[in-house]
Amino acid sequence: MSATVTNPFQHIVEPLDPKDPKQQFFNLSKLGDPRYERLPFSIRVLLESAVRNCDEFLVKRSDVESILNWKQTQSQTVEVPFRPARVILQDFTGVPAVVDFAAMRDAVMKLGGDPEKINPVCPADLVIDHSIQVDFNRKSDSLQKNQDLEFDRNRERFQFLKWGSKAFRNMRIIPPGSGIIHQVNLEYLARVVFKHDGLFYPDSLVGTDSHTTMINGLGVLGWGVGGIEAEAVMLGQPISMVLPEVVGYKLHGTPDKLITSTDIVLTVTKHLRQVGVVGKFVEFFGPGVAQLSIADRATIANMCPEYGATAAFFPVDDVSLQYLEQTGREPEKLAYIAKYLKAVAIFRDYNNVSQDPDFTQVVELDLSSVVPCCSGPKRPQDRVPVSDMKKDFDTCLEAKQGFKGFQVAPQHQNTTVPFQFNGKEYMLSQGSVVIAAITSCTNTSNPSVMLGAGLLAKKAIESGLSVKPYIKTSLSPGSGVVTYYLKASGVMEYLSQLGFEVVGYGCMTCIGNSGPLPEPVVEAITQGDLIAAGILSGNRNFEGRVHPNTRANYLASPPLVIAYAIAGTVRIDFEKEPIAINSEGKEVFLRDIWPTREEIQAVERMFVIPSMFKEVYEKIERVNERWNSLVAPSDKLYTWDPKSTYIKSPPFFDGLTKELQPPASIKDAYVLLNLGDSVTTDHISPAGNIARNSPAARYLTTRGLTPRDFNSYGSRRGNDAVMARGTFANIRLLNKFLNKQAPQTIHLPTGETLDVFDAAERYQQSSVPLIVLAGKEYGSGSSRDWAAKGPFLLGIKAILAESYERIHRSNLVGMGVIPLEYLPGDTAHSLGLTGQERYTVVIPEQVTPRMIVDIKLDTGKTFQVRMRFDTDVELAYFRHGGILNYMIRKMSES
């Protein structure tokens, strides 16, 4: 927005450079308010946005005052608006967003409005990175074969996205094969400071992926939101947010020379989980920050969702500017970035204590206390020191089924199963590694750990070590720059010799696109009912996510991924046992081949240079020839193909009228599912393979598809018929009605055990509303709008849980599904709820934020819960039946 006379803060607008009076900025220092310099740097970014966008309508002067008064108001659930500078999307969430936009255009036209009003008004970048799978590995042509398959499987989706890039203004598509969204964002898309429409202002964003937070490592404030919330931002709506508490995280000390940034982030993740930072900002400060590279900071910021914070902010400093120079940003931009941020006091010197702002709470980490570690076997916050891995896995084998338990009977804990692979006999046992993937922007954006992996591979080959051929090894970098410096430094050939060939540029194994395991391996795992292991340099390892046949999955640094691949098992103590016996019969220990931080930094200084970044990114939008030759329609309204199994007009707006319908109570609802704690979005709306015996598979079969053409749930998010059938289709879903893991439930009126979709369909045929009972942290994990859209389509009117993950709660609100929360001290157990009852949720005509309402059971019992509509804006969305309905009615008014 340009500076206009309607803005009450117009008087603080001035030129950044007197020689160029047309380029101006809102000089927050001229507010003359001593509270400003005590604000956390992250809150200063929120304040600047409020000041610049203040129009006394969407953003009011009182909002600016609330932010300035952060120290007093932070704990009072004060609501403020925030208008991010831009939006980023990946294709799994981007396709349904563009589908929604296309359907919204149709709906606006039906209501008599102008369909072209449905158009992004702030810049949106969509990076296609989630579609590629590891179908081929360990061969020099694996990359090309995987990319060819990606295009063959997803041509229809890609054509649709290309239509979107033409039909909608302000939307840029980064083609497949370019890299991972957050790494491309860090290395290329990030502006740090915008220079637009005559104004300088801080870069900020929201993204339809929970790991959008990675960009905070570069000093750009951003976080993940649901796809439907992002769509509203793209259409010009501010985000309504509760002014967050800010936890100051002080880093000091020096990490040991053998420690990687992955070890630091897994330590931070566990620590902040214990502190409790859900819904809060974390802002890093202290002399230890200055020792961390931007890649190190970005790794820590990337895993922000795993420790539960909204954002993990590292304010811009001199190291940030050096990174921008290293990644090929123009000198002119570097000059105005530094000048602007210093002018508005958002530039940081981490060694200057006088710059330390006020925080809600301060916690500290001594970097010298960090030890090499992994996390698992089922959650990213369950850190395990490498020295304890063997003991910890053995404990998990025996422990009761849970986050740290597999409940394997004592007589089966040492089961071994022989099998044949490529004419040789091998042995699998509990803890055998069958997937080893260097994957994910979390780590592949970081040259130190990638070069560390390369140097370890070199030393391993020189020591006569190898990786067993049945282990599915892969390397999927987050950008072409990684391949560039791995080759230039000479380590790529050693990675290839160990089986870590480049298989694609995308998220791949990290999001469950790990592809099939060799059939003999699957048969051996199944025969022995083995707890096989996946080891990956990713950020998520929830059950059923990485691969259906790897029940134990550990997050680790890229060098450790290679180490466990060589060892072939996670049941090893690297300090006491050799990693392997080499070809000459000699014992080789991990310490013999582990590179030091100094070795890695020397190679990094020599080979990670600006020209690499410039060469890769100058041609990023035109380098993919298949994308360039893809023909797409250019009409402003999309012509839906009724034969398509990928792109389908969704039913969300069927029967939508201009007039509002008053909210009604939910009467005599049945419980569709009775769930426990930490139900993730992977449980609710899987992204991976479509099981052959699932409702989605049956639907696709009726449309003439064979299993090899099913693709993944993630790739079919443009088709509501597939996604509704995929809702709660995770094979690891634990429903208390059944007391076992299965994507099924009991149809209570008949007592039949059915697939969840089939049961929901039965209820819908009887016009019966549904609810879901859940425990703590419902909806944790990836930002996934289909985890709200799917339940909506199943007829679920409300979720009753002990607590919610932030993004998922807002997604439920966005779809008009009511998030209900037990009052403190109450649980399903304490209230004696079995889920067999029928529930009436009494919703009064006048609803207020965080209102307490009654639930009446058919047993005669009544109890109270809180409706988690946290702001007036969320209530407005609820009254309209969801955020998209609200936007359609608004766009149809004139």
Side-chain angles (χ1 to χ4, degrees):
M1 144 182 177
S2 59
T4 66
V5 290
T6 58
N7 190 315
F9 296 97
Q10 186 70 28
H11 63 283
I12 65 169
V13 174
E14 61 182 51
L16 184 63
D17 185 344
K19 297 175 186 174
D20 189 3
K22 290 184 179 178
Q23 298 298 326
Q24 301 178 315
F25 74 111
F26 283 83
N27 190 347
L28 300 185
S29 301
K30 293 287 180 72
L31 287 171
D33 195 315
R35 291 175 296 178
Y36 177 62
E37 61 187 28
R38 301 308 308 155
L39 291 177
F41 283 62
S42 51
I43 300 299
R44 296 179 200 186
V45 177
L46 296 183
L47 178 68
E48 191 282 337
S49 173
V51 166
R52 175 168 39 87
N53 290 295
C54 189
D55 58 1
E56 291 296 0
F57 176 57
L58 289 174
V59 184
K60 298 180 180 178
R61 194 166 190 148
S62 58
D63 297 319
V64 172
E65 175 59 25
S66 292
I67 300 172
L68 273 169
N69 206 34
W70 169 83
K71 193 170 183 181
Q72 279 66 47
T73 59
Q74 56 176 300
S75 57
Q76 299 171 13
T77 61
V78 172
E79 177 191 348
V80 294
F82 174 52
R83 292 191 70 171
R86 60 190 174 96
V87 175
I88 60 168
L89 311 97
Q90 36 88 342
D91 56 302
F92 271 16
T93 50
V95 167
V98 179
V99 166
D100 287 348
F101 271 24
M104 287 170 78
R105 279 192 170 181
D106 293 343
V108 167
M109 194 167 81
K110 284 177 186 172
L111 293 181
D114 177 5
E116 288 204 48
K117 281 191 174 181
I118 301 294
N119 207 80
V121 295
C122 75
D125 295 302
L126 193 158
V127 182
I128 301 174
D129 67 350
H130 273 51
S131 300
I132 192 165
Q133 301 183 31
V134 191
D135 290 286
F136 298 94
N137 66 315
R138 285 185 174 257
K139 297 280 174 59
S140 58
D141 61 352
S142 296
L143 171 62
Q144 190 59 53
K145 283 185 172 181
N146 287 327
Q147 289 182 336
D148 287 345
L149 255 182
E150 174 191 24
F151 236 91
D152 292 342
R153 284 176 175 141
N154 297 284
R155 174 180 293 276
E156 203 178 321
R157 297 171 65 243
F158 292 171
Q159 278 180 320
F160 177 68
L161 288 176
K162 199 159 191 183
W163 167 80
S165 69
K166 294 177 181 178
F168 299 108
R169 296 186 301 276
N170 268 337
M171 182 181 286
R172 172 171 51 176
I173 307 281
I174 305 297
S178 303
I180 301 175
I181 179 172
H182 307 305
Q183 190 161 339
V184 174
N185 193 21
L186 191 72
E187 296 174 356
Y188 175 60
L189 298 175
R191 282 74 153 179
V192 183
V193 170
F194 261 84
K195 182 183 180 184
H196 176 71
D197 201 16
L199 280 177
F200 292 101
Y201 51 94
D203 187 5
S204 61
L205 70 151
V206 290
T208 58
D209 190 283
S210 51
H211 293 103
T212 298
T213 52
M214 184 172 185
I215 202 63
N216 289 278
L218 186 55
V220 175
L221 185 64
W223 59 87
V225 295
I228 35 196
E229 197 173 1
E231 290 165 34
V233 173
M234 290 163 72
L235 293 171
Q237 291 293 297
I239 283 176
S240 177
M241 62 185 293
V242 173
L243 197 60
E245 296 182 10
V246 182
V247 174
Y249 199 88
K250 186 174 185 178
L251 296 176
H252 56 87
T254 303
D256 183 90
K257 65 181 181 178
L258 299 179
I259 293 302
T260 68
S261 58
T262 317
D263 301 320
I264 295 171
V265 70
L266 295 179
T267 302
V268 168
T269 298
K270 182 173 184 180
H271 185 199
L272 284 175
R273 270 280 174 183
Q274 292 168 335
V275 169
V277 292
V278 173
K280 303 175 185 179
F281 283 3
V282 174
E283 186 166 307
F284 291 82
F285 74 110
V289 178
Q291 296 185 54
L292 299 177
S293 68
I294 293 302
D296 289 344
R297 299 176 195 181
T299 299
I300 294 169
N302 177 285
M303 285 194 72
C304 176
E306 279 64 58
Y307 41 88
T310 300
F313 194 63
F314 290 83
V316 174
D317 68 342
D318 285 324
V319 176
S320 314
L321 296 180
Q322 290 162 18
Y323 176 82
L324 292 173
E325 184 178 7
Q326 182 193 39
T327 50
R329 268 67 167 212
E330 295 87 349
E332 181 224 343
K333 287 185 179 176
L334 296 182
Y336 72 65
I337 287 170
K339 188 169 186 176
Y340 168 77
L341 293 175
K342 288 175 181 176
V344 292
I346 308 182
F347 193 86
R348 192 73 163 93
D349 176 358
Y350 288 100
N351 290 307
N352 183 352
V353 179
S354 67
Q355 269 197 355
D356 291 353
D358 293 331
F359 292 112
T360 309
Q361 173 189 3
V362 172
V363 291
E364 300 187 21
L365 176 68
D366 181 353
L367 292 171
S368 66
S369 68
V370 177
V371 298
C373 54
C374 299
S375 277
K378 301 182 186 183
R379 295 191 303 182
Q381 64 262 40
D382 293 329
R383 184 183 71 96
V384 186
V386 171
S387 57
D388 292 346
M389 273 285 282
K390 183 177 184 178
K391 181 175 67 178
D392 187 81
F393 183 82
D394 287 347
T395 302
C396 289
L397 277 182
E398 195 165 344
K400 186 181 175 184
Q401 182 71 243
F403 298 124
K404 294 287 287 185
F406 295 106
Q407 208 165 336
V408 175
Q411 66 269 27
H412 296 306
Q413 289 173 18
N414 292 301
T415 296
T416 59
V417 180
F419 68 100
Q420 292 283 322
F421 184 78
N422 288 349
K424 289 188 178 179
E425 184 168 284
Y426 297 94
M427 198 77 72
L428 283 187
S429 56
Q430 309 286 12
S432 285
V433 172
V434 294
I435 289 178
I438 297 176
T439 182
S440 171
C441 52
T442 309
N443 283 292
T444 69
S445 61
N446 194 324
S448 66
V449 291
M450 295 303 287
L451 288 167
L455 290 171
L456 184 138
K458 180 175 185 288
K459 293 184 178 189
I461 291 293
E462 290 170 348
S463 299
L465 304 183
S466 62
V467 175
K468 293 181 178 69
Y470 62 81
I471 296 175
K472 187 157 193 181
T473 49
S474 60
L475 167 58
S476 49
S479 83
V481 175
V482 179
T483 309
Y484 209 135
Y485 66 65
L486 289 177
K487 285 181 177 177
S489 60
V491 297
M492 189 68 236
E493 62 177 288
Y494 299 103
L495 288 163
S496 298
Q497 286 180 58
L498 286 179
F500 290 90
E501 288 280 0
V502 173
V503 293
Y505 297 96
C507 300
M508 303 188 88
T509 300
C510 186
I511 57 159
N513 284 357
S514 48
L517 287 173
E519 204 55 47
V521 173
V522 174
E523 288 171 4
I525 293 170
T526 306
Q527 180 187 332
D529 194 22
L530 298 176
I531 309 297
I535 188 104
L536 65 152
S537 63
N539 46 44
R540 297 264 165 83
N541 55 342
F542 301 125
E543 283 184 288
R545 179 183 177 96
V546 175
H547 193 282
N549 295 111
T550 57
R551 281 190 272 172
N553 295 284
Y554 289 92
L555 307 181
S557 66
L560 277 175
V561 170
I562 293 176
Y564 281 106
I566 293 169
T569 180
V570 295
R571 295 175 91 174
I572 182 171
D573 183 342
F574 284 129
E575 293 182 8
K576 298 174 182 173
E577 301 172 60
I579 187 171
I581 310 295
N582 71 9
S583 48
E584 297 172 5
K586 179 187 171 189
E587 290 186 344
V588 179
F589 286 82
L590 181 57
R591 57 180 171 267
D592 300 330
I593 59 174
W594 192 267
T596 65
R597 185 176 279 256
E598 289 78 12
E599 286 178 85
I600 296 166
Q601 287 172 344
V603 176
E604 184 177 348
R605 279 192 297 271
M606 189 177 298
F607 293 105
V608 184
I609 54 178
S611 60
M612 289 181 177
F613 292 88
K614 283 184 176 176
E615 186 171 331
V616 167
Y617 284 114
E618 274 174 357
K619 56 190 179 185
I620 191 169
E621 290 178 55
R622 59 182 188 277
V623 73
N624 190 317
E625 290 301 327
R626 291 193 69 174
W627 174 264
N628 296 341
S629 61
L630 199 60
V631 178
S634 55
D635 302 333
K636 296 300 180 185
L637 293 176
Y638 188 69
T639 304
W640 306 96
D641 178 2
K643 296 177 184 173
S644 174
T645 57
Y646 277 105
I647 306 298
K648 179 177 174 290
S649 181
F652 305 138
F653 315 123
D654 291 355
L656 182 67
T657 61
K658 279 191 175 182
E659 299 75 33
L660 275 183
Q661 307 301 316
S665 295
I666 301 169
K667 295 180 179 176
D668 289 327
Y670 277 107
V671 174
L672 180 64
L673 292 155
N674 188 359
L675 306 171
D677 294 341
S678 294
V679 172
T680 71
T681 51
D682 280 295
H683 289 117
I684 305 166
S685 183
N689 295 333
I690 296 173
R692 296 186 182 193
N693 60 347
S694 65
R698 293 196 289 275
Y699 167 80
L700 292 171
T701 302
T702 64
R703 301 300 300 267
L705 273 65
T706 59
R708 70 182 300 275
D709 298 317
F710 285 173
N711 210 334
S712 64
Y713 281 113
S715 68
R716 292 194 178 272
R717 286 185 185 162
N719 185 323
D720 62 272
V722 173
M723 297 310 297
R725 286 164 174 80
T727 303
F728 295 110
N730 190 314
I731 60 171
R732 301 297 174 201
L733 182 74
L734 185 59
N735 180 4
K736 293 179 184 177
F737 284 160
L738 303 176
N739 225 8
K740 67 175 183 178
Q741 290 183 330
Q744 295 178 317
T745 193
I746 293 174
H747 180 249
L748 295 174
T750 62
E752 287 180 77
T753 298
L754 300 171
D755 287 327
V756 174
F757 173 81
D758 295 337
E761 195 172 42
R762 286 257 194 107
Y763 285 119
Q764 285 187 314
Q765 287 165 357
S766 305
S767 301
V768 177
L770 298 170
I771 66 167
V772 168
L773 300 184
K776 300 181 185 71
E777 297 177 346
Y778 180 78
S780 55
S782 298
S783 154
R784 196 164 289 176
D785 56 344
W786 268 108
K789 289 176 175 176
F792 169 82
L793 291 178
L794 294 187
I796 293 168
K797 304 299 182 185
I799 310 290
L800 175 55
E802 292 175 50
S803 63
Y804 292 88
E805 193 276 337
R806 177 185 62 83
I807 299 174
H808 185 63
R809 188 198 62 81
S810 76
N811 272 340
L812 291 171
V813 171
M815 284 309 298
V817 177
I818 305 174
L820 300 172
E821 193 168 273
Y822 293 103
L823 297 182
D826 283 353
T827 64
H829 180 72
S830 72
L831 292 169
L833 306 180
T834 65
Q836 306 277 343
E837 311 88 352
R838 296 188 73 170
Y839 292 66
T840 294
V841 183
V842 181
I843 300 173
E845 280 189 28
Q846 296 300 317
V847 183
T848 56
R850 299 180 64 84
M851 188 177 197
I852 292 175
V853 297
D854 288 336
I855 291 185
K856 297 179 179 178
L857 306 181
D858 62 343
T859 60
K861 182 183 180 71
T862 298
F863 62 97
Q864 292 188 313
V865 297
R866 188 179 300 281
M867 278 206 302
R868 285 294 311 277
F869 298 120
D870 290 357
T871 66
D872 287 324
V873 172
E874 289 186 347
L875 278 177
Y877 295 156
F878 169 62
R879 291 189 189 101
H880 280 265
I883 192 170
L884 301 183
N885 294 357
Y886 170 83
M887 292 305 302
I888 288 169
R889 288 192 176 103
K890 185 177 176 185
M891 296 292 182
S892 302
E893 285 171 1
S894 56

